[in-house]
Each structure stands twice: as structure tokens, then as C-alpha cells.
Amino acid sequence: GILLTHHSRSVRPHEFETMRKFMIDILNTLDIGLNATRVGVVQYSSQVRSEFTLKAHAKLENMVRGINQIIPLAQGTMTGLAIKYVMNEAFTAEAGDRPKVPNVAVIVTDGRPQDRVAEVAAEAREKGIEIYAVGVARADMTSLRAMASPPFEDHVFLVESFDLIHQFGLQFQDKLCGVDLCLESDHGCEHICESSPGSYHCLCLPGYTLNDDGKTCAVIDYCSFGNHSCEHECVSVLNGYHCRCNEGYRLLDDGKTCQDMDLCNTVEHGCEHQCVSTPGSYYCICPEGQLLQEDGKSCGTCKSANIDLVLLIDGSKSVRPQNFELVKKFVNQVVDSLDVSAHGTRVGLVQYSSRVRTEFPLNMYHTADEIKAAVMKVEYMEKGTMTGLALKHMLENSFSEAEGARPSSRNIPRVGLVFTDGRSQDDITEYAKKAKEAGITMYAVGVGKAVEDELREIASEPLEKHFYYTTDFTAISTIAENLKLNVCPEESQGEIEVKDPCACESLVEFQQATMSNLEQITQKHILHKHRLLFSFR
């Protein structure tokens, strides 16, 4: 708040001392402090002088000292000028005014204003300043009412003489401090607002601490005290904490230490050869030379369903949009032939052109339906054919454990399938070799202008089981039907082999396709001719 004291030539020295005591009495009832009630004092006559600002004093004794050091001004009663000063200078952030804290001005005067007060006082009240007007002796009641806030019975006071002002001070304090600022102002306290004379402060509920803003509350982080003794993890809760163990461990009765849960010894794991515990889980392994079967428990020399498969599909410009849709159907045909699940076969898809894009990694989808839906949403990239870059991406990223490939210690076969329709624009030799050296079984499927030598370089041995080629996209569904992405040689018999283009069967197939195409062209030509004739008639 701001105290405005007026001193005219007519006030005698002992009367000014009584005024000084009145101000100190008011201060004694307030909760003074930079975070509580701030008080500034302005003295005016024909001029205005700030005795001290809202932020000048944080302690009551310093304010009292400041009031005792006030030297009275002489002539004049420029009350309007004083109110304007308070509004524009005293209640500013620079002078120590705080946002959202009520602004109260107490004007003490013993004379009639010599300037206009009604308009400037109205402006001050509109800006949210609550004005109390205290008149002594010759003060004019009409002027007091013109400057004070409504209701007047709470804000306007007239004292007959300076001798009575001290007695009046007690009555005035009740009015000033009777305001419950928690009810009257937008206090912003998150939990509890507690009023004190002329001020308020915020409190928090048990288990919470007040933040630096003095308004919001935060749960006390008991774990941060560093005395919890939790072996793994400390979890703060309201009014305390509890210990939590990492996955795969259980909390012992002392509530602090953790014990590894060896699930191989605690559950019926059913592993045929050996069970390996991991935190919170386990898996089965087989002896060298044998593979874990689809059930994830039994071992055998061969199996076809349980693989990690990454498909690399060519999205270059030469494929064309309608054929790219056929490629997507080819992928879904392959997916239909697999036993897809989190523990069975996992499928990842990568599209490449001038750059490489993972459409989905091995660990994203665990059902065939999810994979097929994702495949149909794949958007055609166009541009170049960087097969070498795609092979590098497959080896370094797609078959990483981060993207869902299972650890090599699990002996789950890794299979890569490259589908392309043209010559690679970069070198494939290095990463085709590295992929096979890393134990990845590589299949190569070529269409149209795909280069046979490149496909052979990509494909694993024996080539006739891992390399497929057809002249056009319409025949790729036949490859999908015959493709068995397995690692068991005894199951690979009967797969289609690379067709010799000069073989009789191939020549007949070529002739039939050519005749069919010629017939279609002829039909279109005749129809076009008819339309032309019709339009000329």
C-alpha cells in the first residue's frame, strides 16, 4: 500500500508528530515484508515527494526509521497531482509493485484540494487502486468522497482534530485490515491461502512443498533426500516413498533389496535342450547344428516357419505405379505363406530408390493381417535404383536387435529378399558379400530389365533355390506361390528354377504372350478407327 500524507502551512509541528505516530500505528498492525505487505510513503503539498518506495524497506523498523526522518513540506494542497503520481510512479514494477497483489492508497489530508481530484481519482480506481480518504480538522467531506473507493462508509473518515487521530487510528486499522485478501483478491494459491493483516501467503497440503513462485505446490520428493537405501529404484509417493525392483527381479521382505528371478528355475519352461533366464523372462536354446522349432521349445535339424525376414523392394521410377501395386500384392502373398508371430516369423519391409526407407522394422507388427495392411499403405518412391545402399541398410539397420532382429545366439535364421526390376546404379558386390558372410540367407527376385549377374551375386547358394526371374510383373505371383523362404534343403525340392529363355517351353510362353498383346493392340486400333469414322460423319 501507499500512504499519502498532506502537510499544509497550517499544520503545527506537534500535529505533524501526531500524524507520524498515526502512520507508525498502522504499520505496526501489518505483516511487513517483500513477500508480504509492502508499504511506500508519499508526502505532498504544492509539490509531491516520495519518501520511500514499495521496495525500499523489507523490515518494519527500517520503515519506522524512514517515517521518523520525514521533513514536512510547506504550502499547498495538490491532492490530484499526488494521486496521479501514486498511479503512474508509485504503483509501478520499477518502484516495487507486484502483479495480482491488491493496491491500496491511504490519503491523509487536512485541507481542501487546490486542483481537480474527481477525474484522476476515478482513473486510479479503474486501474484497481483501492483508495481510503482520511480527513483531519478542516478537510472537505465532498472532496474526500470524490477521491475514495465505494462504499464510502468503509473508505471515508473525518477526524475533528489531530489530537483525536491516534484514537481514530485503531478504528481505521480494523477497516483496513478487516479485508480478507484471500477472498478479495486473485491470490493464485494452488492449495491454501492464509490471510494476515493487509496481506496473505500461500501454504501447501501435507506432503507438498511450496515452489519458488510462492504459489504452486510440488510433491515432496522423499527419494531425493538420498537416505532411502533402495537397491534398484526409489519411487516417491505422498508423504513417503517405496522401493521398486527392475524387471526380472522381486522385492524382498525388507522392502529395499532385490533378488533376480531365475524364471528357468521357477516356471515350467518346457525347453527341450536348455532354458536361458533373462530379467523378467526366459528363452530356449538348442545344441549347435539344431534349430529351435516353431513352438519356441523343441529342437530339430530344420524348420521353415521361424525366421526373421526383411524384404527389400525396388521403388524406382522404372517400376511404374500400377506395377508397384503388383509388387505390394507379391509381398502380401509371401506373408500369407509364413507363420507370422512375435515368437515365430517376424517381417520387416524396406523400400529403396535413390535413397532407402524402412517402411516398418521387424518388431513393429506381429500378425499377418497387420503386416498386409501396412504393406498396402506403402507409398511409391520413384527415382533411382541404389540396390547396394539398400543391402547396406538391411545389414546394418534392419537386422539389428534395435529394430527387432532376434539375437544370433538364438539361432533364428535371418532371411533377406531383394525384389528389383533394373540394373543397380551403385556397387552391390561389397554388401551382397557381407550379407551372406553375416549368415543372412539371400533371395533375389528380378523382373523385366533386372540384370541376371547382379541377381546371382545377391542370391545365396545354391542359386537355383534362391534366384528367380520373370519377364513381366504379371508373372510374379507365380514366383510368390513357389517361393519357400526356408532353410531346410530337404524342403526346397520342387521350387521353380531359372528358366532358360531358349528352352522350348519358354519360347511357347513368349509366343503366346506376344500373340495376346498383338490381339489387344489390334482391338484398340479397330475401335479407335471406328470412333474416327463416326466423328467425321
Side-chain angles (χ1 to χ4, degrees), residues 331-344:
V331 170
N332 281 350
Q333 254 186 293
V334 172
V335 171
D336 278 330
S337 71
L338 304 169
D339 179 17
V340 176
S341 72
H343 298 293

Side-chain angles (χ1 to χ4, degrees), residues 258-272:
C258 299
Q259 188 179 59
D260 184 3
M261 291 166 62
D262 184 355
L263 290 179
C264 288
N265 290 328
T266 54
V267 297
E268 287 288 332
H269 55 76
C271 296
E272 182 183 325

Side-chain angles (χ1 to χ4, degrees), residues 502-513:
C502 297
C504 179
E505 189 187 339
S506 298
L507 288 170
V508 171
E509 203 176 283
F510 175 74
Q511 187 180 4
Q512 286 174 344

Side-chain angles (χ1 to χ4, degrees), residues 230-454:
C230 295
E231 186 181 349
H232 282 183
E233 190 183 349
C234 175
V235 181
S236 283
V237 293
L238 200 58
N239 294 320
Y241 70 90
H242 65 257
C243 298
R244 186 162 65 192
C245 295
N246 296 335
E247 194 178 352
Y249 294 81
R250 65 185 183 88
L251 194 65
L252 296 182
D253 293 340
D254 64 0
K256 293 179 180 182
T257 52
C258 299
Q259 188 179 59
D260 184 3
M261 291 166 62
D262 184 355
L263 290 179
C264 288
N265 290 328
T266 54
V267 297
E268 287 288 332
H269 55 76
C271 296
E272 182 183 325
H273 176 65
Q274 190 181 337
C275 173
V276 179
S277 284
T278 59
S281 186
Y282 70 90
Y283 61 88
C284 302
I285 58 169
C286 293
E288 197 173 341
Q290 290 193 32
L291 296 171
L292 197 65
Q293 298 301 293
E294 291 170 37
D295 62 3
K297 295 177 181 181
S298 52
C299 300
T301 53
C302 183
K303 70 172 178 12
S304 58
N306 200 358
I307 61 172
D308 283 343
L309 169 66
V310 174
L311 297 126
L312 301 181
I313 58 170
D314 183 349
S316 62
K317 199 173 183 182
S318 57
V319 174
R320 305 209 174 144
Q322 66 271 29
N323 288 333
F324 191 72
E325 292 305 308
L326 292 174
V327 173
K328 292 200 288 191
K329 285 181 181 171
F330 165 81
V331 170
N332 281 350
Q333 254 186 293
V334 172
V335 171
D336 278 330
S337 71
L338 304 169
D339 179 17
V340 176
S341 72
H343 298 293
T345 288
R346 295 183 181 183
V347 179
L349 181 65
V350 173
Q351 185 185 173
Y352 70 95
S353 59
S354 303
R355 56 192 176 88
V356 183
R357 182 172 75 202
T358 297
E359 300 296 353
F360 52 83
L362 286 164
N363 56 3
M364 184 168 279
Y365 302 116
H366 301 310
T367 70
D369 287 343
E370 285 177 328
I371 292 169
K372 286 160 70 178
V375 168
M376 295 318 290
K377 287 177 186 168
V378 170
E379 291 184 6
Y380 177 38
M381 287 168 86
E382 296 193 40
K383 299 196 178 169
T385 312
M386 303 292 277
T387 312
L389 188 66
L391 288 166
K392 181 178 190 287
H393 179 89
M394 175 196 75
L395 180 64
E396 295 177 356
N397 300 95
S398 304
F399 280 116
S400 67
E401 288 182 37
E403 291 203 4
R406 285 160 289 190
S408 48
S409 60
R410 301 275 295 275
N411 286 333
I412 290 168
R414 294 179 175 185
V415 179
L417 187 151
V418 179
F419 187 105
T420 182
D421 88 319
R423 180 183 292 278
S424 178
Q425 293 171 334
D426 61 352
D427 180 54
I428 64 158
T429 305
E430 182 188 353
Y431 283 96
K433 185 167 179 265
K434 281 185 176 177
K436 285 179 279 190
E437 284 172 355
I440 300 168
T441 304
M442 294 300 301
Y443 287 78
V445 178
V447 183
K449 292 179 181 175
V451 179
E452 190 174 322
D453 288 349
E454 285 186 358

Side-chain angles (χ1 to χ4, degrees), residues 135-138 158-162 164:
V136 184
R138 296 166 297 282
L158 192 57
V159 185
E160 287 178 23
S161 71
F162 278 96
L164 295 169

